[in-house]
Amino acid sequence: MRHLFCGNKRILKYLILIPMSKEESKNKTRRDFLTIATSAVGVVGVGAAAWPIVSQMNPDSSVKALASIEVDVSKMKEGQEMTVLWRGKPVFIKRRTKEEITTANKVDLKELKDPQTDDKRVKKPEWLVLVGVCTHLGCVPISGKGEYGGWFCPCHGSHYDTSGRIRKGPAPTNLEVPKYEFVGDTKIRIG
Amino acid sequence: MDNTDSKSNLDNSIKPVHTNKVGGSPFTGVLGWIDNRLPIFRMFKYEYLDFQVPKSLSYFWSFGGILMLCLIFLIVTGLALGMHYKPDAKYAFDSVEKIMRDVNYGWLIRYAHMNLASFFFIAVYIHIFRGLYYGSYKEPRQLMWLIGVIIFFLMIATAFLGYTLPWGQMSYWGATVITNLFSAVPFVGEAIVNWLWGDYAVGDATLNRFYVLHWLIAFGILGLVIFHVIALHIVGSNNPSGIEPVDTRDTVSFSPFTTSKDLFAILVFFLIFVAVMMYAPNYLGHPDNYIPADPLVTPAHIVPEWYFLPFYAILRSIPDKLMGVIAMVSSIAILGLLPWLDLSKIRSCAFRPIWKQFVFIFVLDFFILMYVGSKPAEGVYVLIARIGTIYWFLFFLVIAPIVALTEKPLPMPSSIHEYEDWKKQGKLKTFRFFGSK
């Protein structure tokens, strides 16, 4: 036991965690080096062995393979909204009315918790695509409710506007805009 | 380190070794033969038959035993349920319905498991209150208290994971909301949450691992409970007087005195449990959990199980996401700091007139938070939750240290048997609700 403690103190000094006197720095031994080298290899080995056990919990290949979907929106009229499932999460696709677009554009950025202009959040102003997951704790906000004409989360009372931006309540950021693109005029590929 | 040094020490450092410790059993015959080789019978005799406990123990001290029994019943019923349950997002809900309708006594086993979880929390809250009121967290019982706080954390984790398994609407959205708490962690929050889910939303992979972790943590609790009890048998039981026993005038032996008293408490407790389980098995649950999980629709009013409500109220009382999460976790963790915040040498509230008032307000605060946690987060409820949260933290961080330093305690008896005499003479106002004789 005494050996072990003395050894540890020397190793701490060796690693310059404890200051070393001149005399001590001359006395660095091969044993110190071996102890450190062995411990280092041990740490790397345990880490390498543990990584697969930790990583197996991440989303697997089959989950990642479902990363994109195509949605036909040709039947949607102005003011209508649809919800599709993408990566297990709801995605809102809303064909906004003219008024909704103007209200979204009129907002003073200073009023916003997570400032972002409306045109940065859409590809075509008419179409708003959002991940329908409240940025607070992941509930699905309800459309057409709340004080700002957009969405309202029933769980903890976050209000979103017609651009899906957070206006009131505990959510920290705007509703996420997923990666998407228009493939043709009435078809959207999400993901 | 020095070579010459250790060589000269070698000769006079020869000592006999005792690798063979067979013997010393107070039993004879087969019991003795086994006990000499594996000292479990003598341990049982010393720790559960001859063990001396303060004679002033009230029914509040029966809740440790009640909790132990709850845990054993939970594990047994859980084992039975595990033989029929399928942790797969496609089959989980249906397999629970199958348990309820087709499996022999499945309805009984599931209702027992479900309601036992609630009663486990009822008992643990009374147990924690006992510790708080009678100062059971103080020297020398700090470590025992700390182990208790960790057990409480694990209970919360297991209860949450278990609630996910039926895969109803409340299961699904409860799991979503609670796992999303981790997304509040700066920078890596998102990665952590995806790692927990094994997906980009709560799904099949999540359910499967939650089932495994539900088991794992349950046995983790069992292990820590064993440590909790070992520590108890080292430091001894506290008692309503908060005075340490000195001689046999202050104590009784664990059996038959405590065992018979505990047995009565256990019977009453489980009588109430059986009444609730049989007549109102879903009273403590939420009807929405009988709707299969739907990732597209969040229930209009999502609430956690009743035993999480006070902490849920604390989470919601803070408008910032990260701070809300930190407040919720620390509202529980702060219990662990209490031995070092309340430095009064006197344990029992019976002799601490000021602290006692604050403890009662704290209990009231707990119930108020529980009530507002069940209400929507708007209007006056938010205000009440904020006041409740402020008191919760003030109680530990400010009131406990200040009262400990400034309070003038009541005159105290010098021993437990004198305390009992004072009580008979009506000199003490003790906590009579649960009786003590």
Side-chain angles (χ1 to χ4, degrees):
Chain A
M1 211 54 198
R2 212 184 62 144
H3 270 297
L4 197 66
F5 278 122
C6 294
N8 278 348
K9 205 163 177 189
R10 284 170 73 97
I11 288 161
L12 287 177
K13 285 180 177 167
Y14 197 87
L15 294 169
I16 328 179
L17 294 172
I18 302 178
M20 207 188 277
S21 69
K22 261 189 192 163
E23 202 182 325
E24 280 172 325
S25 70
K26 277 183 206 156
N27 288 341
K28 287 184 205 170
T29 61
R30 251 196 294 188
R31 179 180 288 182
D32 291 335
F33 174 77
L34 283 173
T35 313
I36 291 168
T38 314
S39 315
V41 170
V43 168
V44 170
V46 169
W51 180 244
I53 304 295
V54 173
S55 178
Q56 55 82 20
M57 282 176 71
N58 276 317
D60 67 18
S61 307
S62 71
V63 169
K64 285 183 190 154
L66 296 172
S68 83
I69 54 164
E70 275 184 20
V71 186
D72 180 10
V73 292
S74 58
K75 281 178 190 153
M76 283 176 74
K77 296 197 180 88
E78 210 171 87
Q80 278 189 335
E81 183 186 327
M82 72 187 287
T83 307
V84 293
L85 204 60
W86 171 67
R87 286 176 156 189
K89 290 176 183 175
V91 169
F92 298 151
I93 303 173
K94 172 138 192 174
R95 186 164 181 182
R96 297 192 291 182
T97 61
K98 295 227 164 55
E99 298 89 76
E100 281 170 341
I101 300 170
T102 22
T103 15
N105 277 316
K106 257 198 244 160
V107 176
D108 183 0
L109 284 189
K110 280 175 200 150
E111 280 176 37
L112 298 174
K113 196 177 191 179
D114 180 13
Q116 218 177 4
T117 55
D118 185 55
D119 57 325
K120 287 231 174 92
R121 296 177 53 78
V122 289
K123 296 221 161 124
K124 297 177 183 174
E126 207 184 352
W127 296 99
L128 179 65
V129 182
L130 298 169
V131 175
V133 171
C134 181
T135 54
H136 182 224
L137 293 174
C139 297
V140 179
I142 300 167
S143 175
K145 290 227 173 140
E147 290 168 23
Y148 296 88
W151 287 267
F152 171 70
C153 181
C155 291
H156 308 97
S158 293
H159 299 255
Y160 297 92
D161 65 12
T162 53
S163 186
R165 291 173 297 200
I166 178 67
R167 301 300 291 271
K168 192 182 167 191
T173 56
N174 301 333
L175 287 179
E176 189 193 334
V177 177
K179 202 178 140 214
Y180 71 94
E181 57 186 0
F182 283 89
V183 284
D185 278 350
T186 56
K187 216 171 211 185
I188 300 176
R189 185 195 292 135
I190 303 169
Chain B
M1 294 301 291
D2 200 310
N3 267 340
T4 53
D5 206 30
S6 51
K7 227 173 217 168
S8 63
N9 274 342
L10 202 63
D11 295 327
N12 43 24
S13 69
I14 296 175
K15 286 170 192 134
V17 289
H18 302 281
T19 54
N20 181 336
K21 297 190 181 91
V22 172
S25 175
F27 297 94
T28 52
V30 178
L31 277 189
W33 186 86
I34 296 174
D35 192 55
N36 275 329
R37 286 154 182 81
L38 180 68
I40 45 171
F41 297 119
R42 85 184 77 159
M43 191 204 84
F44 185 77
K45 177 174 154 50
Y46 296 153
E47 301 299 335
Y48 290 98
L49 302 177
D50 308 343
F51 190 58
Q52 294 294 303
V53 294
K55 68 174 178 184
S56 53
L57 294 187
S58 69
Y59 279 116
F60 271 123
W61 269 262
S62 297
F63 282 87
I66 288 173
L67 283 161
M68 189 74 206
L69 264 188
C70 279
L71 181 61
I72 292 168
F73 291 159
L74 276 166
I75 289 175
V76 172
T77 50
L79 180 72
L81 290 173
M83 293 183 183
H84 305 278
Y85 172 77
K86 293 185 176 69
D88 181 307
K90 267 197 204 110
Y91 307 112
F93 189 88
D94 291 344
S95 75
V96 172
E97 285 309 304
K98 189 176 146 69
I99 289 170
M100 293 301 289
R101 289 149 201 261
D102 300 343
V103 174
N104 299 322
Y105 296 103
W107 58 274
L108 179 69
I109 297 167
R110 172 161 179 265
Y111 276 158
H113 196 74
M114 231 170 94
N115 284 286
L116 267 168
S118 276
F119 275 74
F120 200 25
F121 275 94
I122 292 175
V124 91
Y125 285 138
I126 296 172
H127 192 66
I128 293 172
F129 167 73
R130 197 284 319 277
L132 203 60
Y133 187 85
Y134 294 111
S136 302
Y137 48 84
K138 291 184 185 177
E139 170 69 21
R141 300 183 180 84
Q142 302 98 322
L143 182 63
M144 201 189 160
W145 175 261
L146 268 182
I147 297 171
V149 173
I150 299 170
I151 294 174
F152 183 52
F153 264 114
L154 293 187
M155 277 176 66
I156 289 171
T158 317
F160 158 70
L161 294 168
Y163 194 56
T164 308
L165 304 182
W167 212 239
Q169 272 290 66
M170 281 294 164
S171 297
Y172 184 88
W173 291 102
T176 300
V177 168
I178 299 300
T179 47
N180 261 301
L181 294 178
F182 291 94
S183 71
V185 177
F187 309 114
V188 290
E190 181 97 18
I192 292 176
V193 171
N194 285 340
W195 177 73
L196 282 175
W197 289 338
D199 203 330
Y200 300 103
V202 172
D204 186 53
T206 322
L207 177 61
N208 210 148
R209 66 190 55 179
F210 276 18
Y211 180 59
V212 173
L213 294 174
H214 181 65
W215 277 100
L216 176 74
I217 300 178
F219 283 100
I221 291 174
L222 186 64
L224 280 177
V225 164
I226 290 169
F227 282 175
H228 197 61
V229 173
I230 292 175
L232 170 70
H233 282 254
I234 299 295
V235 296
S237 290
N238 185 27
N239 65 88
S241 73
I243 302 165
E244 293 288 317
V246 178
D247 54 44
T248 43
R249 284 175 300 174
D250 299 333
T251 59
V252 290
S253 49
F254 190 80
S255 187
F257 296 97
T258 310
T259 40
S260 50
K261 185 168 184 158
D262 280 359
L263 186 63
F264 181 69
I266 286 165
L267 285 175
V268 172
F269 184 85
F270 283 98
L271 193 67
I272 299 169
F273 160 71
V274 169
V276 171
M277 177 183 72
M278 289 297 184
Y279 290 105
N282 290 303
Y283 178 73
L284 295 165
H286 198 290
D288 273 15
N289 218 25
Y290 286 100
I291 303 168
D294 181 352
L296 290 178
V297 185
T298 305
H301 184 41
I302 168 169
V303 279
E305 291 277 79
W306 69 267
Y307 37 79
F308 294 150
L309 290 173
F311 311 110
Y312 191 59
I314 290 173
L315 166 78
R316 294 195 308 182
S317 71
I318 290 169
D320 182 79
K321 181 171 163 181
L322 180 61
M323 289 312 290
V325 175
I326 291 172
M328 184 179 70
V329 176
S330 36
S331 69
I332 302 167
I334 204 167
L335 277 166
L337 289 180
L338 190 57
W340 295 276
L341 290 169
D342 169 16
L343 291 170
S344 167
K345 291 270 178 280
I346 294 149
R347 295 199 187 94
S348 173
C349 271
F351 308 107
R352 301 191 62 192
I354 313 284
W355 176 242
K356 181 160 131 178
Q357 309 299 327
F358 285 113
V359 170
F360 279 128
I361 298 173
F362 181 73
V363 174
L364 189 68
D365 189 39
F366 176 85
F367 285 110
I368 289 173
L369 283 172
M370 185 181 278
Y371 174 73
V372 292
S374 72
K375 295 288 164 190
E378 52 196 36
V380 68
Y381 297 123
V382 176
L383 181 71
I384 299 173
R386 283 187 187 154
I387 296 169
T389 303
I390 291 169
Y391 181 76
W392 187 283
F393 286 100
L394 275 184
F395 175 78
F396 290 102
L397 295 173
V398 179
I399 297 170
I402 289 179
V403 173
L405 291 174
T406 56
E407 184 181 39
K408 195 168 169 285
L410 299 177
M412 279 176 73
S414 58
S415 65
I416 293 176
H417 64 274
E418 200 184 344
Y419 168 86
E420 288 290 307
D421 292 341
W422 283 27
K423 218 166 64 181
K424 272 179 213 141
Q425 294 156 12
K427 278 199 211 165
L428 284 172
K429 275 194 201 164
T430 50
F431 200 99
R432 295 309 292 251
F433 184 66
F434 276 92
S436 50
K437 255 282 141 121

